[in-house]
Amino acid sequence: MTATVMAPMTMTPMTATAAGEGGGRPLAGKVALVTGGSRGIGAAIARRLAAGGAAVALTYQSRQDLADQVVKEIEQAGGQAWAVRADVADAEQVWASVAGAVERFGRLDILVNNAGTGVLGPFEGISLEDVDRVLRTNVRGPFLAAQAAAAHLTEGGRIISIGSCMAERVAFPGGTLYATSKSALTGLTKTLAKELGPRGITANLIHPGPIDTDMNPADGESAEFQAGLTALGAYGRDLDVAETVAHLAGEGGRYITGASIAVDGGFAV
Ligand code: NDP
């Protein structure tokens, strides 16, 4: 059996409303950078932070059309957004996206390391190329983005990374590379919390369970199996993750740092 890339290309409906849930603009005056904001969880996060009042820079790898659509939706709702192509596996592009967000909006308060990729399959079938690509995307990219962002963050700054429930719980075989990459974010998050805490900056990690996106569609071939591994017996929505990001980004996250927070419907509890 060969390794398979978890990236089927089907459209997912937008579920985060530009108006947000709960009203108010607690993030007014803040600037956020969301990696991989053209679709799925990242797009929901971008829309949700913008609904909270933040100006949002979002990156994409190839789907400029979808990134532009997210920007347009945010602007039509009265917010500010900007999209830039930046492969998170490419160091120069990561640095340029952070610099570009600061140049565009004048500051940076919130970094969301969301862009990610996955390869599932038996350990023996994972190629060297797979290992390098997944680690560059899921580990090196967030590391470099955090490093570049930290130079701009001030008191109240936030670094929020998107991991995976598979980083901490193993419900089925075949996830060695993906779990390896996502569990590395725990070390990054905890040490960032220690190093940046004295500057009033928090660092946290969210572990989503099965969320209905292009990467893991709720009508995919393993969807019923994955839903069955959760206590709630169902997939989550991109907005479920975005709401937790918004909480961490706002005043509610003031005293939360170094934490790993599951948004997973009770995956393999
Ligand atoms: P999708 O595949 O639906 O969307 C991925 C997004 O990331 C797109 O905006 C894509 O851009 C962008 N992207 C992918 N690779 C890169 C790259 N190398 N550089 C920059 N941007 C990139 O994924 P999800 O929304 O499902 O996943 C988002 C995060 O959540 C990932 O880190 C994933 O591992 C994690 N996660 C997802 C789960 C799920 O069940 N969906 C469960 C647990 C964790 P473009 O549109 O241009 O291709």
Side-chain angles (χ1 to χ4, degrees):
M1 189 172 164
T2 55
T4 53
V5 178
M6 298 159 60
M9 295 292 293
T10 54
M11 289 281 291
T12 190
M14 291 184 177
T15 52
T17 64
E21 290 182 356
R25 292 170 60 83
L27 301 176
K30 305 275 188 195
V31 174
L33 170 62
V34 181
T35 67
S38 48
R39 36 193 184 100
I41 294 169
I45 292 168
R47 288 193 295 269
R48 181 62 186 83
L49 295 181
V56 178
L58 58 100
T59 71
Y60 61 93
Q61 183 178 33
S62 57
R63 297 300 306 269
Q64 182 177 357
D65 56 329
L66 297 181
D68 288 347
Q69 175 65 32
V70 176
V71 169
K72 192 170 154 197
E73 191 186 336
I74 289 171
E75 288 177 345
Q76 283 175 345
Q80 286 180 278
W82 174 69
V84 60
R85 184 192 298 269
D87 181 351
V88 78
D90 182 308
E92 297 284 350
Q93 292 180 33
V94 171
W95 295 327
S97 66
V98 173
V102 173
E103 192 181 338
R104 178 81 180 194
F105 294 121
R107 55 184 292 139
L108 184 63
D109 303 280
I110 302 157
L111 168 68
V112 183
N113 280 316
N114 164 77
T117 189
V119 171
L120 292 182
F123 179 56
E124 297 81 0
I126 306 284
S127 69
L128 176 61
E129 187 190 35
D130 289 336
V131 172
D132 286 343
R133 184 174 54 79
V134 172
L135 295 183
R136 282 167 78 102
T137 304
N138 293 3
V139 182
R140 196 181 79 159
F143 186 100
L144 295 178
Q147 201 176 38
H152 299 282
L153 298 177
T154 55
E155 170 85 28
R158 307 278 197 259
I159 296 175
I160 301 163
S161 299
I162 306 300
S164 166
C165 58
M166 289 174 65
E168 296 192 345
R169 277 156 294 176
V170 180
F172 51 85
T176 47
L177 180 54
Y178 189 61
T180 298
S181 70
K182 292 298 190 177
S183 60
L185 296 177
T186 303
L188 175 65
T189 299
K190 287 178 186 286
T191 46
L192 280 179
K194 275 280 189 203
E195 292 203 21
L196 301 179
R199 290 171 50 195
I201 297 165
T202 66
N204 291 291
L205 179 58
I206 296 173
H207 288 312
I211 304 292
D212 183 17
T213 66
D214 293 347
M215 180 187 278
N216 189 7
D219 59 359
E221 65 181 34
S222 72
E224 202 176 321
F225 170 69
Q226 290 185 58
L229 293 170
T230 69
L232 293 175
Y235 265 53
R237 307 166 301 166
D238 49 18
L239 185 56
D240 295 324
V241 180
E243 287 292 342
T244 302
V245 171
H247 180 74
L248 290 171
E251 187 62 14
R254 198 187 69 88
Y255 201 58
I256 304 173
T257 194
S260 296
I261 299 167
V263 180
D264 65 2
F267 180 88
V269 285

